[in-house]
Structure formats: structure tokens, C-alpha cells
Amino acid sequence: MPNVTISEKPEPRLVDPALYRNGMARYAGHVQALTTEWEGIRRGVTVTAACSVSDDPATVLACLNASNEANAIFETSGRFALNTLAAHHQALARALAGFDRLPVEDRFALAEWTTLATGAPILADALVAFDCRLIDIRRMSTHIVLFGQVVDLHFGPDDQALVYLDRAFHAL
């Protein structure tokens, strides 16, 4: 096995960011609604950069744009939900991504929400929702990586999943 050194910061730019984004557009990603709530303020963001880290203890991660100051609420609240969207959630995904520039409460009004153990907003008809306690945050270049210990799960109805590929939503 090669000797690998892990550094805190990546090397200087080796690939043009626009070229990289064009390449990533061809990388199909499952669409998630990342949500939290703190002192009556709700925040929801559409993400495709999320995955399982471990099943014991159950842990997930999700990546957020660090330049959006509104995302600080995820750290402040100490909790989040990772809601897996179905094909019929396309309007919600667009709204939470900010495509339609709706006010926050109008975005949440597009769906039915509940809560589980942490109090983070859980999409009632998500394919699956992971209710998480924030256990770590890492800052990496332009993004914040949230690590959450899953403390509860909610399974919605079976349905086609929503994926994002070539800068468009698709059913799978």
C-alpha cells in the first residue's frame, strides 16, 4: 500500500473549477432535502452530496456551501434531517435549492412535515428520512461537511427516487 499523507488543506488548484463542475454535472446524485430548525427558524437545502459513513454507529454526512451564511443554523442547532426525495418532490427540490426564490415558509409549505427525536423537520412522505444529531463539522475549501449520528429513521411510501444528472432532475 502506498504511503499517503493526509493534509488539512488541498494542494493549489490543479483543475479549473468550471471544468470540474461540468464533469460533476455528469455524476448522477440522489436528491436530498437537508433540514434543520432552531428557535422557530427552519432551514431547508437541496443537496446531492450526502452519503452513509457507517452503520455502527449509524452515521451520515452531507455537504453544504460554506459561502451561504444562512447555513450556519445547521451548526447552531446541532441537529439535522437528511430526507431522501421521491420523483414527485421535484417542486420541493427546486424550491429548497432556491431556484424559485420563494420565502422560507413558502418552501416548507410545499410539503407535509413532522419531527422525530431531534426536532429537525422530517418530510412526511420522504422515501426515507434520517434524523441526526450533529457530531462533527469539517470545513473543506468551498464547503462544510456535516457528520450526523442517526438517532431515528422514518420510512415513507415506496416510490421512484429523484436524481440529479446533467443539471436536471430525473426519476429512477
Side-chain angles (χ1 to χ4, degrees), residues 47-117:
V47 301
T48 56
C51 66
S52 172
V53 175
S54 176
D55 66 350
D56 190 14
T59 308
V60 297
L61 70 76
C63 301
L64 284 171
N65 188 327
S67 68
N68 189 329
E69 293 177 5
N71 288 336
I73 192 172
F74 286 94
E75 184 171 4
T76 303
S77 71
R79 61 186 175 215
F80 65 88
L82 192 58
N83 299 276
T84 304
L85 301 186
H88 70 272
H89 291 125
Q90 192 170 132
L92 178 63
R94 289 185 52 77
L96 294 179
F99 291 162
D100 303 326
R101 305 216 184 279
L102 296 173
V104 171
E105 288 312 311
D106 289 352
R107 296 173 190 196
F108 277 93
L110 293 171
E112 184 179 331
W113 301 89
T114 188
T115 59
L116 297 174

Side-chain angles (χ1 to χ4, degrees), residues 6 18 24 26 28-29 44 50 69 75 77 79-80 85 96-97 101 125 129 134-135 146 149 154 159 164 170:
I6 307 289
M24 290 305 293
R26 294 185 178 185
E69 293 177 5
E75 184 171 4
S77 71
R79 61 186 175 215
F80 65 88
L85 301 186
L96 294 179
R101 305 216 184 279
D125 64 343
L134 183 65
I135 57 172
L146 306 175
Q149 182 173 9
H154 167 75
D159 203 346
Y164 198 70
H170 303 274

